[in-house]
Amino acid sequence: MTTRRTANGAEHAGAKSDETLEDYTLRFAPRRYRRWSPPVVATTALGGIAYLADFSIGAGIGLAHGTINALLGIAVAALIIFTTGLPIAYYCARYNIDLDLVTRGSGFGYYGSVLTAIVFGSFTFIFFATEGAIMAQGLWLGLGVPLWLGYLITTLVVIPLVIYGMSALSKLQVWTTPVWLLLMVAPVGYLVVSDPGSVGEWLAFSGNEGAGEVSAAAVFLGAGVALSLMAQIGEQVDYLRFMPTRTPENSRGGWLSVIAAGPGWVIPGALKQATGAFLAFFVLGLAGTEVTEPVRQFLGVYELFAPAWLAVPLAVVLVVVSQLKINVTNAYSGSLTWTNSATRLTKRYPGRTVFVLGNLAVALVLMEANMFAFLDSVLSFYANTAMAWVVTVASDIVLNKHVLRLSPRVPEYRRGMLHPVNPVGVVSFLASSGLSIAVYFGAFGPGVAPYSPIVAVLVAALAPPIVALITRGRFYLRRSDDGIAEPRFDSAGAPVDTLYRCHVCEQDFERPDMLACPNHDDVVCSLCVTTDRSGSHLLPEQSAETAGPREPLPTRS
């Protein structure tokens, strides 16, 4: 066996050997690690939707534009999010890789997808700050904890939970879900049953800026805020990549779990937004002041059937449980995407823990700067970039992979197999986000500004097939084979679980993650190729016409 190249592999070999901490951050999640059942994976993924920001978003939309406009806007956003999230969830669960890895092979290229990683990374700390602020509000209201200290507590408490990845998070999400459901659903159900007339009054509410009429502009303004949550699919599939390999026995239940916990997250999300609009209207009638903070919304309802000494603790427990469930997901997904980007750009692998702390530090700064006070404006602007990314990837999967067949059906993510930049995704993303942001800021007139979400969706949906046709799909693959004779997937399409030993880090990895080494008669794992600063393990460019597999390399199990 060839001598190990410590300059390229030793610095991260120790970290890679403990995937309990690293959770296969930059690679395919192997079969031997995916030990959870589909319901457990789905429950863990859906634990992330416990967040209470939906109530604030719904409250803001409803109070501003009226109930009917708000409900229509929420429905429009939910339909778009579900439609674009379905192919993405399918691909990530089917091939056991996260959205960043899918993005690389779905039109962006190896380095081009760093653009979208920045978008997703920003999503994780923006929403961590949002949810952390809500939790701090609950601690202040219930325990008198100063907000600045509450922000710090909400940041520090998630660190030990996130460090241990899926192993710890699956237990947290499964065990806290019944408590969360009871505390959230029970008070709303009581309110509707005890005062059914309030529902009719809420439906007739015209909003602070409305005149009681349905307005397309108001609908799309509301949809624009709700569509900022489109990047949530990235957090959902960070868990769905751990779905077990599909078999005839688990196929039906597995894909039902993928749909429910993938694009299906938006259904309870939309219901929470509608409930937030309802609670804000109800509390407005009780207190005479607008209330968009979820802790005050639920406290107003709890006080209807419980004494103050019980209502306040119930509201605090709901807020703390909800925000812990989502913020461990925000911190976890943020650590994955920032690690991914930094390792590709620097060719150094510092480990996921570094970026857990970095992501939380940025979120803490945003909380201390009171980002919650201008949440709607931040989300409306951010929505344009989130939609541009997610819709571009979904369009490439559906149209370019399955209709036009210009994009490889099997997602590729490994360095050396992809071109550095693919204009299909990069041009589509820049055109969609740039044009929709220009519309949002009124470049085409104030009457068009509310429709920036539709501009983002349409451009991102149509541009990928157009650019792919122009370029004839030449920029997807740099090579058509990875130099190993054994296929990556079996006849049923399942990833092959044969173990190969990487000659650089001397760790065993399953076949889908391995490549042949051009300068050694051996194999190398995808992460060692990623961190190869000399390029000695990088396969040369090879056209599809001249590609051919090498002689079989020895299997190390």
Side-chain angles (χ1 to χ4, degrees), residues 71 189 192 201 208 254 256 431 524 549:
L71 293 178
V192 172
E201 296 173 3
N208 298 333
L256 286 174
V524 60

Side-chain angles (χ1 to χ4, degrees), residues 193-547:
V193 171
S194 64
D195 189 6
S198 60
V199 176
E201 296 173 3
W202 170 60
L203 291 173
F205 179 61
S206 61
N208 298 333
E209 301 174 12
E213 300 177 353
V214 175
S215 162
V219 169
F220 285 110
L221 282 171
V225 178
L227 281 167
S228 64
L229 297 169
M230 181 173 277
Q232 178 66 31
I233 189 63
E235 297 196 344
Q236 300 303 116
V237 299
D238 276 340
Y239 296 117
L240 293 183
R241 66 194 174 107
F242 295 116
M243 278 287 178
T245 298
R246 183 175 57 177
T247 64
E249 293 74 25
N250 70 12
S251 178
R252 182 177 179 182
W255 290 122
L256 286 174
S257 295
V258 169
I259 293 172
W265 76 266
V266 77
I267 296 174
L271 291 174
K272 288 193 295 172
Q273 290 168 20
T275 302
F278 174 58
L279 292 179
F281 169 78
F282 186 83
V283 175
L284 175 65
L286 288 178
T289 58
E290 292 185 8
V291 175
T292 58
E293 296 92 342
V295 63
R296 293 189 178 276
Q297 293 173 1
F298 277 93
L299 180 59
V301 180
Y302 281 132
E303 287 177 338
L304 295 177
F305 63 87
W309 63 266
L310 179 60
V312 172
L314 286 175
V316 172
V317 171
L318 171 63
V319 169
V320 170
V321 170
S322 298
Q323 304 317 90
L324 270 181
K325 287 170 73 66
I326 179 55
N327 265 353
V328 293
T329 295
N330 284 328
Y332 176 63
S333 293
S335 70
L336 295 179
T337 192
W338 291 122
T339 304
N340 235 316
S341 300
T343 304
R344 268 178 291 165
L345 293 175
T346 66
K347 297 181 178 60
R348 296 179 183 275
Y349 185 67
R352 187 174 63 85
T353 302
V354 172
F355 292 95
V356 170
L357 301 178
N359 211 46
L360 295 181
V362 175
L364 180 59
V365 170
L366 291 177
M367 282 189 280
E368 298 291 356
N370 194 25
M371 190 202 73
F372 194 82
F374 44 93
L375 178 63
D376 281 1
S377 299
V378 172
L379 297 185
S380 295
F381 170 78
Y382 175 80
N384 295 286
T385 57
M387 287 183 287
W389 164 42
V390 174
V391 178
T392 293
V393 175
S395 176
D396 189 86
I397 291 173
V398 175
L399 300 178
N400 292 351
K401 291 186 185 299
H402 290 85
V403 178
L404 299 176
R405 303 196 176 212
L406 292 170
S407 175
R409 280 204 173 191
V410 176
E412 182 58 78
Y413 64 91
R414 297 167 296 174
R415 182 187 178 197
M417 301 300 294
L418 296 168
H419 286 283
V421 175
N422 187 342
V424 172
V426 173
V427 170
S428 301
F429 168 76
L430 293 176
S432 174
S433 57
L435 189 58
S436 61
I437 288 172
V439 171
Y440 174 77
F441 282 110
F444 299 91
V448 182
Y451 302 97
S452 66
I454 300 304
V455 172
V457 170
L458 290 178
V459 174
L462 298 176
I466 293 173
V467 181
L469 286 169
I470 292 173
T471 60
R472 292 181 292 175
R474 292 194 305 270
F475 296 96
Y476 280 97
L477 290 179
R478 183 174 173 268
R479 292 183 57 90
S480 60
D481 79 275
D482 58 13
I484 302 177
E486 183 179 21
R488 297 173 72 201
F489 302 92
D490 62 23
S491 58
V496 172
D497 61 354
T498 306
L499 289 177
Y500 288 76
R501 171 148 293 195
C502 173
H503 82 93
V504 178
C505 65
E506 299 180 350
Q507 301 295 323
D508 292 335
F509 299 101
E510 292 180 8
R511 169 64 183 95
D513 198 59
M514 306 303 293
L515 305 95
C517 183
N519 295 317
H520 309 84
D521 188 24
D522 218 319
V523 293
V524 60
C525 73
S526 65
L527 183 52
C528 283
V529 176
T530 296
T531 56
D532 177 16
R533 296 189 291 278
S534 69
S536 62
H537 307 310
L538 191 65
L539 289 165
E541 185 170 356
Q542 183 181 45
S543 66
E545 291 77 13
T546 61

